[in-house]
Amino acid sequence: MGRVASSVDNALIESFWSIMQRELLDRTSWDSKTQLASAMFEWIEGFYTPRRRHSALDYLSPADYEALHTTAEIAA
């Protein structure tokens, strides 16, 4: 643990939880675990996964990057 490029390094998931904590969990309170689970699912699937821009994708969201390359393949 803690070595660079280690398959068991948890820096990626720690970064993910940190972002979720800042952007979702610290801003709202829920009455039940079911509401919390639903809010987490909506945040991950509705915002974090398809719309968050990534430096590895030239600062495009995964959805935009995929659309760009799908359009390029169809045109070719």
Side-chain angles (χ1 to χ4, degrees), residues 64-76:
D64 291 341
Y65 186 82
E66 185 176 318
L68 178 67
H69 289 291
T70 302
T71 305
E73 287 177 10
I74 293 170

Side-chain angles (χ1 to χ4, degrees), residues 23-68:
E23 295 183 0
L24 177 69
L25 303 177
D26 288 345
R27 295 181 181 189
T28 310
S29 61
W30 294 270
D31 296 329
S32 70
K33 288 183 182 180
T34 304
Q35 289 177 339
L36 172 59
S38 179
M40 290 173 70
F41 177 81
E42 289 176 19
W43 183 80
I44 292 168
E45 293 298 321
F47 171 72
Y48 187 82
T49 301
R51 291 187 282 177
R52 182 168 294 279
R53 294 175 299 172
H54 297 272
S55 60
L57 302 177
D58 295 327
Y59 291 97
L60 294 172
S61 70
D64 291 341
Y65 186 82
E66 185 176 318
L68 178 67

